[in-house]
Amino acid sequence: MVKVLVSSCLVGNKVRYNASCLSISEPELIWLNSNVELVIFCPEVSAGLPIPRAPAEIIAGQGVDVLDGLANVVGNDGIDVTTQFVSGAQNALELCQKHQIKYVVLAEGSPSCGSSKIYDGTFNGIKMDGSGVTTALLERNGIIVFSQHTIAKLRSTLEKQSQ
Ligand code: SF4
């Protein structure tokens, strides 16, 4: 069965900055559980960040800029957590490479896991187009990133492959 890495917070684990979780719709979770082997992972926790933790945003950039040393990730407490975010992304990549994972489902909006929207670095609750640090590193290495809102696309990709 194909392995798919999934953000830990999407399957009910309370690992987000505020110790909450997100969700995948029930039919899609049932489909995932029946058709792929889930590898559950949280980049930020893997890098040693605590639960709960200060919400963090990428300042003046997005995930690729953080990887290239052009932007930093900072908590709303002013503490720079760039090192931990990059380390979490590297941990995710290592896990994908170890399990030969080509597809991942990551939580939209996160400075690590976002794949089409992230917060704009002002801590005003404003989203902008962009992706997080883990998404950027995985995509840079050829891994295809879906979110909890695009699982239908993952399904159609896998169904085409099996034809
Ligand atoms: Fe969820 Fe990713 Fe944030 Fe971990 S880093 S809590 S998996 S969105």
Side-chain angles (χ1 to χ4, degrees), residues 28-162:
E28 286 177 323
L29 190 54
I30 290 170
W31 179 82
L32 283 170
N33 278 321
S34 315
N35 290 278
V36 306
E37 185 180 335
L38 297 181
V39 176
I40 311 299
F41 186 72
C42 173
E44 293 174 23
V45 171
S46 82
L49 288 169
I51 308 165
R53 53 190 174 277
E57 297 191 6
I58 300 169
I59 308 301
Q62 53 172 293
V64 285
D65 302 312
V66 176
L67 294 178
D68 292 339
L70 302 173
N72 284 17
V73 189
V74 177
N76 73 347
D77 56 2
I79 295 176
D80 190 307
V81 284
T82 307
T83 302
Q84 290 91 329
F85 272 64
V86 171
S87 167
Q90 288 167 340
N91 293 340
L93 178 61
E94 275 174 28
L95 191 60
C96 288
Q97 289 173 334
K98 181 177 163 198
H99 291 277
Q100 296 178 320
I101 290 172
K102 293 185 195 152
Y103 305 109
V104 302
V105 178
L106 300 183
E108 191 57 276
S110 150
S112 289
C113 294
S115 54
S116 69
K117 295 279 179 192
I118 55 171
Y119 288 92
D120 72 352
T122 65
F123 294 97
N124 287 321
I126 302 167
K127 285 186 180 172
M128 64 174 197
D129 291 342
S131 53
V133 183
T134 293
T135 297
L137 185 63
L138 297 185
E139 288 184 338
R140 191 170 268 187
N141 284 274
I143 293 164
I144 301 176
V145 179
F146 300 87
S147 78
Q148 70 267 43
H149 308 303
T150 60
I151 291 173
K153 282 191 194 166
L154 168 64
R155 181 174 179 165
S156 110
T157 302
L158 292 179
E159 285 174 350
K160 271 187 206 146
Q161 273 186 4
S162 64

